[in-house]
Amino acid sequence: MSIAFIGLGHMGGPMALNLQRAGHAVQGFDLSPAARAQLAAAGLPIAADAAASVQGADIVISMLPANAHVEALYLGHGGQAGLLPQLAADTLVIDCSTIAASSARKVADAALAQQRGLRFIDAPVSGGTGGAVAGTLTFIVGGDEQALEQARPVLEKMGQNIFHAGGVGTGQTAKICNNMLLGILMAGTSEALALGLANGLDPRVLSDIMRGSSGSNWVLEKYNPMPGVMASAPASKGYAGGFGTDLMLKDLGLAQDSATAVQAATPLGSLARNLYAAHSLAGNGALDFSSIIRMLQKR
Ligand code: NAD
């Protein structure tokens, strides 16, 4: 299978390498020279631009930050042509970015309007940078059954679980519900750890106790926000890498947008969005989102 992989950041880089290791012919591209250089050094062929990366590709995968990037890539922006007209007939497009369901549907509709057999699925992921490196991501797919079955062997090289949420856009809706919960869990877990610490507890001991008790959750299992508790977590690497505060802020904003659209009550999601927004405004947008604990810690 010949695959174009566009967006070689924290997630896309290791995902593209896993596809290459599995024997696929992968051509990567990223707007950032640093990302291109890093992946080229790891042995990934890098195309001169996005249009060159899709030449001869059966499948195009994108892993970009937000709505605007995905729409600009496929539909064009500021007089620059989009990628859709440049794809060969019958190409499958898999967008793994976390974006609004409405944005995913917009690109899918434009692909369909080409009338050249182009197919689109939204396939946002869960599992973090650790999951991207290990090839153990969870894919949450929106799109028709046939397109998912075509994508499945490729998704299986990057992930362990594949869920089919429904039609185009539903993968994004499910992902946003999950990330709203994750943002709340990270803030709540940080609050409990900071409280214990301020009262003299060792964060490792408290984390072990809560992991084995009713407060247990994914943050305590895989992503402890206290430096030194979990060697592999971004907290132990100065909150570098991982899932940026600004990306979490974007996802919590998407959750609020979809709550507003259907008049849903999401009080904790709204509070979490404001906490991450304040954390970002204080200059922490590029740090991993687990750095929210710094806002709650006694100094
Ligand atoms: P990132 O910022 O590290 O990487 C995104 C890359 O896209 C950057 O290298 C950027 O230069 C590139 N890019 C932007 N526009 C481009 C374009 N038009 N053409 C080519 N390259 C372009 O972000 P990330 O952490 O890899 O996250 C990517 C997506 O995955 C986001 O939507 C995020 O919400 C989601 N996500 C991230 C994580 C995580 O733990 N980091 C987990 C799950 C989902």
Side-chain angles (χ1 to χ4, degrees):
M1 200 68 84
S2 177
I3 300 173
F5 205 115
I6 302 171
L8 305 170
H10 292 123
M11 297 295 288
M15 289 164 74
L17 288 175
N18 279 335
L19 289 176
Q20 190 188 37
R21 281 187 204 114
H24 294 297
V26 184
Q27 282 249 67
F29 178 70
D30 195 295
L31 285 181
S32 148
R36 292 200 298 269
Q38 194 180 347
L39 271 292
L44 192 80
I46 304 291
D49 54 28
S53 74
V54 303
Q55 294 309 310
D58 307 298
I59 295 183
V60 175
I61 303 178
S62 45
M63 191 47 158
L64 306 178
N67 295 350
H69 308 87
V70 175
E71 291 188 23
L73 176 71
Y74 291 112
L75 309 178
H77 174 70
Q80 196 150 16
L83 211 52
L84 286 181
Q86 307 183 52
L87 304 182
D90 302 321
T91 301
L92 172 66
V93 176
I94 305 175
D95 180 48
C96 297
S97 328
T98 302
I99 59 171
S102 55
S103 252
R105 283 193 287 265
K106 197 165 157 186
V107 178
D109 288 347
L112 203 63
Q114 292 271 315
Q115 298 191 317
R116 293 188 298 114
L118 302 182
R119 290 180 178 170
F120 176 95
I121 61 173
D122 45 307
V125 305
S126 176
T129 45
V133 172
T136 56
L137 292 170
T138 292
F139 286 92
I140 309 168
V141 176
D144 71 43
E145 194 87 45
Q146 245 187 329
L148 168 56
E149 289 318 311
Q150 194 185 346
R152 190 180 292 280
V154 169
L155 300 183
E156 281 173 348
K157 302 295 184 304
M158 300 182 283
Q160 246 170 8
N161 300 309
I162 300 171
F163 291 107
H164 190 194
V168 170
T170 58
Q172 296 295 353
T173 302
K175 164 72 185 170
I176 285 307
C177 293
N178 179 75
N179 271 27
M180 184 179 80
L181 180 57
L182 173 62
I184 295 166
L185 281 175
M186 181 59 82
T189 304
S190 295
E191 192 173 307
L193 284 169
L195 174 65
L197 200 67
N199 280 284
L201 278 175
D202 180 327
R204 270 172 293 252
V205 172
L206 178 57
S207 294
D208 279 347
I209 292 170
M210 294 197 294
R211 271 177 64 205
S213 306
S214 46
S216 176
N217 67 65
W218 186 87
V219 169
L220 286 168
E221 289 295 334
K222 305 258 169 120
Y223 218 99
N224 198 295
M226 273 300 299
V229 174
M230 223 169 242
S232 61
S236 298
K237 301 169 186 165
Y239 299 103
F243 183 43
T245 294
D246 281 345
L247 288 178
M248 174 52 89
L249 179 58
K250 170 206 56 158
D251 290 0
L252 290 166
L254 290 173
Q256 290 305 292
D257 290 345
S258 48
T260 304
V262 296
Q263 294 187 317
T266 50
L268 294 181
S270 164
L271 177 56
R273 199 207 76 84
N274 279 298
L275 286 174
Y276 288 99
H279 190 50
S280 174
L281 284 173
N284 303 303
L287 295 183
D288 181 75
F289 80 117
S290 62
S291 61
I292 191 81
I293 196 169
R294 286 183 172 174
M295 187 192 255
L296 304 159
Q297 255 179 296
K298 202 169 174 175
R299 292 187 189 257

